[in-house]
Amino acid sequence: MIRGARTSSLAEPGFAGFAAPFGIDRENAVFQTFTVNLVQEPKLLLWTQSACLVTTPAIARDPSFAMAAARSAQRGWPVFKRLSGGTTVFHGDDTLCVSLLQPCPAGGPVTDAGYRSLTTLLVNALASLGIRATTGPVPEAPCDGRFNVVARGRKLAGTAMRVRTVHGRPVLLAHAVLLVGGGGNGLTAVRAFESDLGQPRAYRDDGCIGVAELLGRKGHEPSLRGQVADAIRRCFIQQSGDNHDER
């Protein structure tokens, strides 16, 4: 745990809450320890952090980045950098972050297998809550990719990955941002940031959907986030055969 990072407003039971960017920092630190110590068992992190935008190293190198990030911070959405690819996403009260760390056998399609381990975990957990989800792209949704978690044709979670090779063996950090609430404010913040970068994108207003809408429980997002975290943890324990999660 990073000292001073936990915030009482985000510390509901079932997952760790942080003031941004300490959630990202902790994920990086745990992945570093996981690889250095050659951990042989998968590990699950369930967490969230205060409202922010999270972008990539490539976007952070854009000449307009400093100006766009400063404007976003003035709007209440500070911008931080992650070490994986993709485009800009939002974190905050509407989201739950899921990090799955796992060693993999050498050889084979490591990246796709890692994504499938994460999306299978999420799809099974959502099914236990009564939500039918699949994986695939959602055109005109923010940070679209092949391994979105999708419900009713709309993006429910996006994924990203980091891979390190330790003594010839790949070690993966697969990460998902799962939408629990509506995400409208976050999407507005992403649009404004990308516009300030000079890279506006035409996202569908209905490109994303949250757990609360799928279950008909809008207004219950704080308790739902804990329920979703608990469902993911249960499925992880069943999938891995042991309890290797860390809040």
Side-chain angles (χ1 to χ4, degrees), residues 3-85:
R3 186 174 181 180
R6 186 181 293 273
T7 60
S8 59
S9 63
L10 294 178
E12 296 97 339
F15 54 91
F18 301 92
F22 290 111
I24 299 170
D25 292 346
R26 175 174 175 264
E27 182 187 63
N28 290 337
V30 172
F31 188 44
Q32 175 68 16
T33 300
F34 191 85
T35 55
V36 168
N37 293 341
L38 299 176
V39 177
Q40 299 300 307
E41 301 292 343
K43 179 181 287 291
L44 176 69
L45 306 177
L46 297 167
W47 56 282
T48 188
Q49 58 184 359
S50 54
C52 66
L53 301 184
V54 182
T55 196
T56 68
I59 292 173
R61 290 192 293 269
D62 188 285
S64 299
F65 173 77
M67 176 272 294
R71 290 182 178 178
S72 185
Q74 290 173 352
R75 292 188 289 265
W77 291 88
V79 183
F80 302 105
K81 185 176 70 174
R82 66 181 187 268
L83 298 179
S84 56

Side-chain angles (χ1 to χ4, degrees), residues 77 90 141-142 182-192 203-208:
W77 291 88
F90 60 89
N185 292 336
L187 182 56
T188 298
V190 170
R191 283 171 164 156
Y203 299 127
R204 290 166 42 198
D205 289 336
D206 65 346
C208 298

